[in-house]
Amino acid sequence: SQKIEQNSEALNIQEGKTATLTCNYTNYSPAYLQWYRQDPGRGPVFLLLIRENEKEKRKERLKVTFDTTLKQSLFHITASQPADSATYLCALPTGGFKTIFGAGTRLFVKA
Amino acid sequence: DGGITQSPKYLFRKEGQNVTLSCEQNLNHDAMYWYRQDPGQGLRLIYYSQIVNDFQKGDIAEGYSVSREKKESFPLTVTSAQKNPTAFYLCASRGAGLNNEQFFGPGTRLTVL
């Protein structure tokens, strides 16, 4: 069955450094991949979409890569700030209107 | 102010009681979803609806029921048949945008005592 894996261990980094989060998937060839941010006790918020024919996508301090051979996406936050502390989820469409979400990686940025 | 609202934010119920969670959207989206989120797990799809008066079971529909009588509303009933109902419940909607993103409500935390 289709599966998404994100590092379950929290990522702790110092302010100003680049945070890199990983999303791996199996048994699937998605047309695109999404990243969402979720703050504690709140619903996820969409950040970026990258399509299968795009190697890299940028939005302000965010950069996403998509390697369909490795079946992996990397999510980078450059010049990280304490306000970037949150859980980041990757998501893949599974056909029709359905999407599967990874469990997320918790990021802590220390001032 | 467009968005999705869920109410209540926190809900407590006794075991054996049915409870209905509200979800309303004013984004004019056709598709709506209900997810359940447990600690350390991804969002799991309970039910989804692509259009009014139509809905499909997701991956964990047992013990839940929904209705979609209006485009704006997609209430979820957690029945007494749901074996482990305590969880964080999220409602979402999706429109026809280029990013196919889902817009989420603030969630309802249900605790069954």
Side-chain angles (χ1 to χ4, degrees):
Chain A
S1 62
Q2 298 153 341
K3 195 173 175 184
I4 295 181
E5 288 183 353
Q6 293 186 257
N7 194 341
S8 59
E9 288 186 20
L11 179 62
N12 291 280
I13 64 168
Q14 200 69 32
E15 182 177 12
K17 300 294 185 184
T18 296
T20 299
L21 285 66
T22 305
C23 175
N24 296 297
Y25 58 92
T26 57
N27 300 325
Y28 193 46
S29 296
Y32 60 84
L33 183 146
Q34 299 169 320
W35 283 90
Y36 288 76
R37 168 183 172 141
Q38 185 175 22
D39 291 287
R42 306 187 72 170
V45 174
F46 171 79
L47 296 174
L48 277 170
L49 176 147
I50 185 165
R51 300 190 186 278
E52 61 180 339
N53 61 347
E54 297 175 311
K55 295 292 183 195
E56 181 180 299
K57 196 89 167 270
R58 291 176 185 260
K59 179 182 175 182
E60 297 172 353
R61 293 183 297 109
L62 307 180
K63 184 179 87 170
V64 173
T65 63
F66 194 11
D67 189 325
T68 55
T69 301
L70 289 179
K71 294 188 181 294
Q72 181 181 79
S73 175
L74 298 179
F75 177 82
H76 306 272
I77 305 176
T78 58
S80 59
Q81 305 165 0
D84 294 326
S85 298
T87 296
Y88 292 88
L89 313 175
C90 70
L92 298 171
T94 60
F97 283 75
K98 293 171 67 174
T99 299
I100 57 170
F101 288 82
T105 298
R106 188 81 190 266
L107 172 66
F108 292 96
V109 181
K110 190 167 20 174
Chain B
D1 202 16
I4 298 185
T5 57
Q6 291 184 243
S7 61
K9 179 72 175 171
Y10 299 96
L11 190 54
F12 295 88
R13 278 294 181 270
K14 290 184 179 177
E15 197 172 327
Q17 290 182 332
N18 291 356
V19 60
T20 297
L21 282 58
S22 166
C23 177
E24 303 279 329
Q25 55 103 356
N26 61 3
L27 299 168
N28 199 33
H29 289 168
D30 284 316
M32 294 188 74
Y33 307 80
W34 273 106
Y35 295 92
R36 169 184 172 137
Q37 188 173 38
D38 295 283
Q41 294 195 40
L43 305 180
R44 291 187 289 168
L45 183 64
I46 304 172
Y47 267 97
Y48 66 105
S49 168
Q50 297 182 31
I51 200 164
V52 175
N53 293 322
D54 184 59
F55 50 83
Q56 285 81 40
K57 292 182 179 179
D59 302 316
I60 56 165
E62 186 176 348
Y64 299 98
S65 66
V66 293
S67 63
R68 186 85 188 276
E69 297 175 3
K70 298 187 299 181
K71 189 174 188 177
E72 301 81 18
S73 179
F74 191 40
L76 173 75
T77 296
V78 184
T79 75
S80 57
Q82 167 49 231
K83 302 229 182 300
N84 186 18
T86 294
F88 187 49
Y89 290 88
L90 286 160
C91 178
S93 71
R94 182 181 130 175
L98 287 175
N99 288 318
N100 295 326
E101 74 263 41
Q102 293 189 22
F103 293 79
F104 285 85
T108 292
R109 187 166 299 279
L110 172 65
T111 302
V112 175
L113 306 171

